[in-house]
Each structure stands twice: as structure tokens, then as C-alpha cells.
Amino acid sequence: FGYQENKEKIMTEFQIMTLFNGGLISNAMYVAGGFFLLWTAFRGAIIIYNEGAPVLTKVLSSIYSLGIVYLNLRNFAFLDINWQSAAYSLSQLDNLSDSGQRFVQFREDFFGMGEPQFSLIPTGDPIILIWWIAVVVILMGQTWMKKPS
């Protein structure tokens, strides 16, 4: 850590980006696991749709499916808060490289800038929000709709 004149600890651009990139690696592993679990939820919903199931099975499958959607939304929220935090921390530095400035500018142009705030709802990217809504509709539709004869 570097020190300012008032002995306040500050991080360098390199340290901020190193921590951000380390977070990307661990987040990628969680996302891969979350997508595997999402695949299992889709498989269960398809089996229920094709073969039918008692109401209790449908309820449990719905709880599982919604839990997996929550898990994935949380994983992407952690990615977003880490990205916000890195961009915000970089924006507070006095001497920022060109690549650091582009990183901050990209975040500011597409998602706005300010103090980082955690949110499960991907408000900065409406396409992702629509995609997750579609995932929930497909999972619940296949679980609860009857197959046409």
C-alpha cells in the first residue's frame, strides 16, 4: 500500500486491477457451477413437462429452479459490484494510466458511476434482465403447463 501525506492507506492502480482480475477468476467458477445447476433445472422442467408429475414434485422443482435463478443473479451481482468497486476506486486515484482511464470511462458510459451499490436486479443492462425473466418464464411454464395432447 502507498501512503498519502496524512498517512491514509491507498491502493495503486496495479493492486486494484489485480484484485479485480482475481475476483473475475473466482466469479467465473461460480458462474460455471451456477449454469450447470441451471441446466439441471431445465432438464427437470422438461421431464416434468413431457412425463407429468404430482403437484408436490412441481412445487419442489419450482423452488429449486427459482433458487438456482437467485444463485445466478447473486453471482452476476457480485461481478457487478466488483466491477463498480474497481472502477470507483480507480476513479479516486490521482495518476491513472490510459488503460485505467478507459476502464473507468467504459463503466461510466454504459452503467453510470457513483459509489458502488449491490443489487440482485441487473438494472444497468436491460438485455440481461429480460434474459433472466425469460429463463424464469420458461422454467415455470414447462413445470406448470400441461403438454398438449
Side-chain angles (χ1 to χ4, degrees), residues 25-117:
I25 293 167
S26 63
N27 191 265
M29 290 187 286
Y30 280 103
V31 168
F35 276 3
F36 172 75
L37 292 173
L38 185 62
W39 175 78
T40 64
F42 275 115
R43 290 292 303 141
I46 289 170
I47 291 169
I48 289 172
Y49 181 75
N50 286 330
E51 298 177 14
V55 172
L56 179 61
T57 302
K58 290 181 178 185
V59 168
L60 293 175
S61 177
S62 296
I63 292 169
Y64 177 78
S65 296
L66 293 174
I68 298 308
V69 169
Y70 168 77
L71 170 84
N72 280 290
L73 284 172
R74 192 187 64 188
N75 287 341
F76 283 103
F78 285 145
L79 171 64
D80 191 52
I81 193 71
N82 287 336
W83 189 10
Q84 287 179 45
S85 298
Y88 181 77
S89 295
L90 288 172
S91 73
Q92 303 303 306
L93 296 177
D94 294 331
N95 299 323
L96 195 57
S97 70
D98 290 341
S99 64
Q101 290 172 357
R102 284 193 302 274
F103 184 89
V104 171
Q105 191 64 45
F106 179 82
R107 179 69 196 188
E108 190 174 315
D109 289 347
F110 286 95
F111 302 104
M113 191 65 128
E115 287 197 26
Q117 294 184 350

Side-chain angles (χ1 to χ4, degrees), residues 35 38 69 72-73 76 122 127-136:
F35 276 3
L38 185 62
V69 169
N72 280 290
L73 284 172
F76 283 103
I127 294 171
I128 297 294
L129 180 60
I130 291 168
W131 189 82
W132 281 111
I133 290 170
V135 165
V136 170

